[in-house]
Structure formats: C-alpha cells, structure tokens
Amino acid sequence: MNDSNPPGESPGDSSEGPHSEQVQKQHVSARVPEGVGQGVFSTGAILMTGGAEFVIDFVQNLGPPASVVARVVVPHGVMNQFIAALKKNLEMYSERFGPPPALPRPDPPPRQQTVQEIYDELKLPDENLAGAYANGMMIGHSASEFKLDFLSNLFPHSAVSCRVFMAAPQVARLLETMKHNFQQFQQRRQNPPQDPPQSPPQDPPPNPDPPPPDQPPQG
C-alpha cells in the first residue's frame, strides 16, 4: 500500500493504448481502466460493516436527491491499513497547508434514522450495487482536495478499481468515521454476543395406560 503519494504528480504514460493508463508511485504500479481514471467527486461517505467486509458508500450531495457515486468493498483485514494511510496523508497535508477547516456539524435529528430510511432517501444506481473490491490504496492531495485511488492487488496486475476525489475537510471527517466503525468492529470481535441460556430439556410426559384389549363375546 502506498500512503505517500506526492501532491501534484500526474499519472505515468499509458502503455496499454487509449483505454487505460498506468500509475507508478514509490514502487507501486497499478493500471487504471477506462471509466475509472476520470474518478467521481464525493461530498461525504457512509460506512457499513458486513460479516467479512466493510462497505464504503461515497455520496454526492450537491442537490436533491443525494446519490451514491461509488461503493468500495474493503476486507476487514486491510481497513486498519487504510486508516493509517489516510491519517499519515492528513498529517502531511496539515504540515504543508495547515489543518483542514472543520466542517459545521448539523443539529442531531430528533430520532436516529435507520439504515433503510437513509437509503430510501438516496439514489443508488444499479451499476454501483456490487461495488468495487479494494485491498490497497494510494492517496494524493493538493491544497484543496484529496485523490483516493482504491486498488485491487490481484494477479497478474494491480488495478485502480475506484477513484474518488474529496475536499480536504471531508477527508478528515471520513477518517473519523472509519476509525469509529473500526473500533466498534474490534469491540464486537473481542466481546461477541452471548447466546441466551437454554433451559434444560424436560422429560416427556408419561404415556397414558393403553386401553384394555377387547374381550371376545361370551357364548
């Protein structure tokens, strides 16, 4: 995983023709398929925890309805690396440009929405339902935004499976969300829910005495 992508550095020249490009950063090389290189712009993210993966839904809320512009599926085992990479890049950003300005926090709703209610208000295109698998990450930043390249490091070539652009303040909030969800995940693993105690089996009720056999008529 490359967590130190120099700002302002452009991707390398394509060696695969007009339909892909190749990114090389600090000994990490990943192909960028057509349709991924342009990336998507996100103004926020929703993170969910599944049985074997985390799902990050990047949301664009520039006008109603808000929509999920990218979905990234991350295995449990690499989320901590993603958090460390994002934290390091935010520290590098702050050293060069100063801390990102804090975003205003909206007033909490009177009732916490359920996940179903949240997604009832979102537009989730069919092409984003399955999401993009990622087990690696490359990060770059400028003075105003971050570029998050999610990688699928699979044989025979690594590839950028999803590219997301976010404003620097949104990246700081994304890091908070990732850390919070990962801490909750670790707590659940350390303290799994206990099955409720089961009552001991009871002996079945005794069978009633069978009726006496019919007596043959007396002649």
Side-chain angles (χ1 to χ4, degrees), residues 197-210:
Q198 298 181 356
S199 57
Q202 298 181 355
D203 295 331
N207 292 328
D209 293 333

Side-chain angles (χ1 to χ4, degrees), residues 46-50 53-55 76 79-80 83 112 115 175-193:
I46 300 172
L47 200 152
M48 297 176 288
T49 306
E53 71 288 314
F54 294 95
V55 177
H76 288 165
M79 177 56 78
N80 199 34
I83 292 172
Q112 186 72 29
V115 174
L175 177 60
E176 290 181 9
T177 301
M178 293 170 68
K179 290 168 64 175
H180 176 72
N181 281 59
F182 189 69
Q183 288 172 356
Q184 288 186 327
F185 166 73
Q186 288 182 310
Q187 290 173 0
R188 287 195 297 268
R189 292 188 63 178
Q190 294 171 358
N191 302 295

Side-chain angles (χ1 to χ4, degrees), residues 45 56 58 86 148 166 170-178:
I56 309 174
F58 289 95
L86 205 56
L148 310 178
M166 298 187 81
Q170 293 289 356
V171 173
R173 181 169 290 182
L174 172 64
L175 177 60
E176 290 181 9
T177 301
M178 293 170 68

Side-chain angles (χ1 to χ4, degrees), residues 115-204:
V115 174
Q116 184 62 54
E117 289 172 337
I118 293 173
Y119 277 83
D120 285 343
E121 300 176 1
L122 289 175
K123 180 181 178 182
L124 178 56
D126 290 346
E127 59 267 24
N128 290 335
L129 284 173
Y133 175 80
N135 58 3
M137 190 181 195
M138 291 194 296
I139 304 173
H141 61 258
S142 66
S144 58
E145 65 184 16
F146 277 67
K147 181 183 73 174
L148 310 178
D149 275 355
F150 295 92
L151 310 179
S152 58
N153 292 315
L154 303 173
F155 181 84
H157 299 291
S158 297
V160 177
S161 57
C162 186
R163 173 172 287 174
V164 178
F165 296 94
M166 298 187 81
Q170 293 289 356
V171 173
R173 181 169 290 182
L174 172 64
L175 177 60
E176 290 181 9
T177 301
M178 293 170 68
K179 290 168 64 175
H180 176 72
N181 281 59
F182 189 69
Q183 288 172 356
Q184 288 186 327
F185 166 73
Q186 288 182 310
Q187 290 173 0
R188 287 195 297 268
R189 292 188 63 178
Q190 294 171 358
N191 302 295
Q194 300 293 328
D195 294 332
Q198 298 181 356
S199 57
Q202 298 181 355
D203 295 331

